[in-house]
């Protein structure tokens, strides 16, 4: 009886944890609505030949005051939707995806370094774009984490999120 009771509690806890997860649009909206955030829009970003992230919007904060909000957002996203991530305890970069409509996928990047800045970027791409992100190389470039998508030999495009003052 005790094992049955504990199993029911475990099932209930697992079910309730699914309710805490949010969509990528909700995650981006929660960050963009924080006071002091700077939002920019870009039509599209080419990540490899014939593959782009479209309708890209990004929000930036240079202050460490929103560290907890970025951590909460990261922890609220379904881990099964994370396609790539890196953390060296000084900087963090990750990408999440979820299907939208008609072969389009939403994608959310979260990038931050200790003490700021923190960047969230949200847009749409295709299945080929998701594969380019999933298969990119993640490396340290000085103190920066860099993701390089290289689906073809001799073609390397760098995906970086930098704060321009």
């Amino acid at each position: 009886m005790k094992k049955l009771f504990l199993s029911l509690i475990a099932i209930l806890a697992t079910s309730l944890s699914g309710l805490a997860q949010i969509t990528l649009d909700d995650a981006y909206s929660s960050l963009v609505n924080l006071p002091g955030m700077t939002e920019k829009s870009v039509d599209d970003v080419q990540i490899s030949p014939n593959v782009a992230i479209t309708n890209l919007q990004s929000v930036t904060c240079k202050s460490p005051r929103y560290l907890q909000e970025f951590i909460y957002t990261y922890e609220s996203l379904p881990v099964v939707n994370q396609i790539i991530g890196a953390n060296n305890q000084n900087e963090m970069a990750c990408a999440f995806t979820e299907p939208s409509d008609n072969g389009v996928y939403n994608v959310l990047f979260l990038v931050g370094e200790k003490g700021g800045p923190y960047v969230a970027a949200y847009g749409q791409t295709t299945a080929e774009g998701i594969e380019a992100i999933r298969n990119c190389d993640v490396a340290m470039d000085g103190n920066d984490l860099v993701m390089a998508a290289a689906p073809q030999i001799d073609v390397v495009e760098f995906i970086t999120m930098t704060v321009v003052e």
Side-chain angles (χ1 to χ4, degrees):
M1 184 69 161
K2 188 176 183 180
K3 288 183 182 180
L4 177 64
F5 181 69
L6 291 175
S7 296
L8 288 174
I9 289 175
I11 291 169
L12 179 63
T14 303
S15 299
L16 291 176
S17 69
L19 296 176
Q21 297 175 348
I22 58 177
T23 67
L24 301 184
D25 185 45
D26 291 340
Y28 182 78
S29 295
S30 71
L31 294 172
V32 77
N33 290 323
L34 294 171
M37 297 299 248
T38 304
E39 185 178 29
K40 294 184 180 180
S41 294
V42 178
D43 288 336
D44 64 319
V45 172
Q46 202 74 24
I47 57 175
S48 67
N50 303 318
V51 178
I53 299 173
T54 60
N55 304 318
L56 189 65
Q57 303 168 339
S58 69
V59 63
T60 304
C61 179
K62 297 178 186 177
S63 168
R65 70 181 183 184
Y66 291 128
L67 171 65
Q68 291 306 315
E69 283 81 356
F70 270 79
I71 291 172
Y72 175 77
T73 300
Y74 173 79
E75 291 176 346
S76 298
L77 292 166
V79 71
V80 297
N81 291 356
Q82 185 173 352
I83 55 175
I84 196 163
N87 182 341
N88 67 2
Q89 296 184 349
N90 285 320
E91 299 198 17
M92 184 264 303
C94 60
F96 289 84
T97 186
E98 64 188 8
S100 184
D101 295 327
N102 301 326
V104 174
Y105 292 83
N106 295 328
V107 64
L108 176 72
F109 294 92
L110 295 174
V111 180
E113 63 182 69
K114 211 179 258 188
Y118 304 103
V119 179
Y122 176 75
Q124 287 74 41
T125 192
T126 61
E128 292 82 12
I130 298 303
E131 281 305 306
I133 296 166
R134 179 179 286 127
N135 294 319
C136 74
D137 294 326
V138 179
M140 290 296 297
D141 181 15
N143 288 329
D144 297 326
L145 285 168
V146 176
M147 296 188 327
Q152 297 179 2
I153 297 174
D154 298 332
V155 178
V156 177
E157 300 267 344
F158 291 100
I159 305 167
T160 60
M161 299 292 170
T162 56
V163 180
V164 180
E165 299 196 29

